[in-house]
Amino acid sequence: HIIEALVEPIVITTILVINALVGGYQALDASKGISALKQMQAQKAVVRINDPGDDVSDVSLSNNAAAVEEVEVDASSLIPGDVVLLSVGQKVPADIRLVSVSTSTFTVDEASLTGESDSVSKKPYRGDTAKGDGFEGSAGGAMGVHAKGMLYGGTVI
């Protein structure tokens, strides 16, 4: 009778140990995945800022514009409104709305997100997403309609 009384606790203990081992393995696997994603992300970004030493109200500056300075910052410190400068071969440091390009064609390798082997053509966004006037034939509201004007973190120019 003692053996019959011990079967149930042994089975329950065995199941709990297996469950703990599987949970530990999954947590380790998840942390490896997060580390791999962090390595895909750019660590630094070049940002264009107004030079704090210049007086914006100084009319002697050409076009009444403040002088700008390009500084390298940690990608994690980017905030909405930052103007990020990118060049060919560079990783995109964060999700960014494309506002201007200095080439006739601009493509981004989004294989890390979509699995597509072909680069995706991008165009600067012009207009208001609520009005739907950013691109020809666009309907308002959904940012998915305006994906041609977006760059996504971890992709490559």
Side-chain angles (χ1 to χ4, degrees), residues 2 26 44 46 49 52 56 59 67 79 100 102-103 107 119 126-128 134 142:
I2 293 177
Q26 287 178 336
K44 297 283 184 180
V46 177
I49 60 170
V56 178
V59 292
I79 60 171
S100 72
S102 59
T103 64
T107 59
S119 293
R126 308 269 189 248
D128 184 3

Side-chain angles (χ1 to χ4, degrees), residues 28-42:
L28 179 64
D29 198 38
S31 77
K32 286 181 184 178
I34 290 172
S35 296
L37 286 172
K38 284 182 181 178
Q39 289 176 351
M40 287 176 52
Q41 192 71 24

Side-chain angles (χ1 to χ4, degrees), residues 67-88:
V68 293
E69 181 181 359
E70 296 174 4
V71 293
E72 187 174 78
V73 298
D74 289 333
S76 62
S77 67
L78 291 174
I79 60 171
D82 282 347
V83 177
V84 179
L85 305 177
L86 299 169
S87 59
V88 175

Side-chain angles (χ1 to χ4, degrees), residues 14 16 19 23 41 57 64-65 75 79 90 104 107 111 117 128 138-139 148 155:
T14 304
L16 290 173
N19 188 24
Q41 192 71 24
S57 64
N64 292 334
I79 60 171
Q90 188 176 2
S104 58
T107 59
S117 59
D128 184 3
S138 65
K148 286 189 177 209
T155 58

Side-chain angles (χ1 to χ4, degrees), residues 50-71:
N50 288 338
D51 189 356
D54 290 331
D55 182 9
V56 178
S57 64
D58 185 0
V59 292
S60 66
L61 292 171
S62 63
N63 297 331
N64 292 334
V68 293
E69 181 181 359
E70 296 174 4
V71 293

